[in-house]
Structure formats: C-alpha cells, structure tokens
Amino acid sequence: MGLRKILTDKDPALHKVCKPVEKFDWKLRKLLDDMRETLEKANGVGLAAPQVGILRRVVIVDTGEEILELVNPVMVATDGEQTGAEGCLSVPGRYGLVKRPNYAKVRAQDREGNWFEAEGEALIARCFCHELDHLEGIVYTQVMERFLTEEELEAEEE
Ligand code: ZN
C-alpha cells in the first residue's frame, strides 16, 4: 500500500526548490517504491518527489523498458532541439507546446547511493528535462510556448 496523492500545480510544494537526498535509508526506498506504484497507477511517464509533497531531489522515469530511479540527478549533456506536446500529472487534462533538447544525459544516484548515467532521445530526453525542472520548482506551464487547443489534442491522439 504505497499510493501517494499527486498534488496539482496549485500546491506550493510544486514551486519550491528541492533539497538533495543525503540519507540512502528505508525512507528513501519507501518513497521510491511508493512513487513507482503511484506512477504506474496514474499511467504516467515520469514523476518527481515534489509532486507527492516531498521536497527532495528524487525523480522516476518510465523509459518503456524500465523504471529509472534518479536520486540527486544532474543534467550533464543536451543536444538538438524538439518542440512538441507535453503534459504533467500535476496539470490534469491539459497539454502544452514545449521546446526541449532532443537528447539529454543525466548523472544520478541509485537507491543505494551509487552514481550512474542515463541518456535518452525524444520522449525520454523531454521527460528528463521536465522532471528535473520539477526539482527546481518549475512546472512546464512556466516554460511552454502555449497550451494546445482541443483540436490539436484530438489530432495528436489519431
Ligand atoms: Zn510534471
């Protein structure tokens, strides 16, 4: 039983800079387990700890092949550019047009504290940028060009 409530962008927790994780203890493991369960239930691509009210630098990303657990993640490389639809579990029902790099590489710690690197293109790169922004208190609506219209959304779904 680890489902956590996902806060909306009206909550002040989504607009604060998160603190680094210092202790790799049972509380971190529980948070990561709960975040995985919450992301799966919400059918999302990524989730950041502040979205469940925890102001720590913790993010998970579903790459389609695995769930990456990124603790204290840092962006180490980006390349290219993409502009596309972006959504957020904290902004339900809406999507915006956001410009992001097309490639991104992050360095992060796993739940034991070991450093590793992860990279991705297209949706994964977009997700890395989006989730790392959350740790700075930034929601995509603050960096988007505009919200997508209903018509544009329908066209995306087809
Ligand atoms: Zn988000």
Side-chain angles (χ1 to χ4, degrees):
M1 281 303 290
L3 271 190
R4 302 217 182 181
K5 185 173 183 267
I6 299 176
L7 306 174
T8 71
D9 67 337
K10 292 183 183 68
D11 196 290
L14 272 105
H15 303 283
K16 292 193 174 132
V17 177
C18 297
K19 294 195 183 104
V21 170
E22 283 158 4
K23 288 184 192 159
F24 293 79
D25 57 4
W26 68 271
K27 274 177 86 174
L28 176 65
R29 293 194 291 276
K30 172 90 170 88
L31 173 65
L32 283 162
D33 289 344
D34 288 358
M35 284 173 66
R36 291 174 83 110
E37 203 176 322
T38 305
L39 181 67
E40 193 182 347
K41 183 87 188 297
N43 208 12
V45 183
L47 187 68
Q51 292 181 275
V52 294
I54 306 294
L55 295 176
R56 290 285 174 178
R57 305 187 80 84
V58 177
V59 155
I60 60 170
V61 172
D62 184 352
T63 67
E65 288 168 9
E66 60 177 330
I67 308 281
L68 282 177
E69 299 179 349
L70 306 173
V71 179
N72 297 327
V74 187
M75 192 68 76
V76 290
T78 57
D79 193 25
E81 195 179 288
Q82 58 173 323
T83 301
E86 194 164 313
C88 178
L89 294 173
S90 295
V91 188
R94 306 203 76 176
Y95 292 87
L97 202 59
V98 190
K99 188 192 284 182
R100 299 287 192 187
N102 195 51
Y103 166 87
K105 179 154 90 173
V106 295
R107 188 168 148 74
Q109 285 168 285
D110 65 16
R111 58 169 67 198
E112 313 296 337
N114 304 305
W115 286 94
F116 67 101
E117 286 184 343
E119 60 180 358
E121 292 182 346
L123 178 64
I124 307 302
R126 174 174 294 283
C127 193
F128 285 163
C129 298
H130 177 115
E131 300 308 330
L132 265 63
D133 271 0
H134 272 306
L135 304 181
E136 306 303 330
I138 298 166
V139 177
Y140 82 83
T141 51
Q142 294 165 251
V143 296
M144 70 177 180
E145 292 176 15
R146 58 178 173 83
F147 276 118
L148 290 180
T149 64
E150 298 270 333
E151 284 164 353
E152 286 173 317
L153 277 180
E154 278 167 25
E156 288 258 334
E157 278 160 19
E158 276 161 18

